[in-house]
Amino acid sequence: MYKARIADLTGLSHIWDNPRVADPIKRKPLDFIGSSREDLRTFPKEVRIAMGTALNSAQLGAKHPSAKPMKGFRGAGVLEIVDDFDGDAYRAVYTVKFEAIVYVLHAFQKKSKKGIETPKSDLDLVKVRYKFAEKAYRELKAARR
């Protein structure tokens, strides 16, 4: 009986993860700005899975527990996914400020040993990419009219 229940659950898991299955939940598209996708792909598999899960939550309109508002941005529209693996710190930054899309702005391995603060160079890059995302979103909206 126990094995039958597990088989039933594993059969369901592919349904929830399959974007081709029509479900009533609206999933926002995900767009990567700059090298963020390639940078994310260099992370260890366990970290990529954790980041992907958190980004999936964002696409579905939820906030994953590992996502925190990034300091230096007004409100909670820019979030940072934090994952520590094998003694290293990994971060992915995304924005949910836009109604129709989630933009991944930056993904990086935190090298700084000075506390939990994000290095200035990474913050500056996020700000530049956020401005680019604003422009891209305006163009996307204009194209849909």
Side-chain angles (χ1 to χ4, degrees):
M1 181 153 155
Y2 179 73
K3 286 183 181 179
R5 271 195 212 153
I6 289 178
D8 290 341
L9 292 176
T10 54
L12 287 176
S13 67
H14 77 280
I15 294 171
W16 298 111
D17 296 334
N18 188 342
R20 286 178 266 153
V21 173
D23 65 15
I25 298 173
K26 181 75 173 155
R27 180 185 304 271
K28 291 182 182 182
L30 188 66
D31 195 8
F32 293 81
I33 304 293
S35 64
S36 57
R37 178 183 295 224
E38 292 79 23
D39 297 337
L40 191 61
R41 286 181 173 161
T42 66
F43 292 176
K45 182 179 181 180
E46 294 83 355
V47 176
R48 289 193 318 266
I49 290 170
M51 299 279 176
T53 301
L55 289 171
N56 183 58
S57 293
Q59 287 181 274
L60 295 173
K63 183 174 125 354
H64 193 270
S66 66
K68 312 282 186 229
M70 188 165 200
K71 289 182 170 65
F73 293 87
R74 294 178 295 272
V78 177
L79 295 110
E80 182 177 36
I81 305 165
V82 177
D83 194 40
D84 296 321
F85 176 75
D86 202 25
D88 294 318
Y90 297 89
R91 306 288 187 259
V93 181
Y94 67 96
T95 182
V96 293
K97 282 265 192 186
F98 309 106
E99 183 180 333
I101 193 165
V102 175
Y103 287 108
V104 179
L105 304 173
H106 189 30
F108 61 100
Q109 180 180 352
K110 187 172 170 280
K111 306 246 186 222
S112 172
K113 300 296 180 192
K114 296 186 240 172
I116 60 171
E117 195 169 305
T118 303
K120 184 180 179 338
S121 60
D122 289 307
L123 284 173
D124 291 343
L125 184 57
V126 169
K127 288 175 184 175
V128 167
R129 288 184 176 174
Y130 180 78
K131 287 180 194 242
F132 181 86
E134 285 179 318
K135 181 181 178 207
Y137 187 68
R138 281 193 302 271
E139 292 172 2
L140 177 69
K141 281 179 63 177
R144 288 185 176 175
R145 290 183 189 166

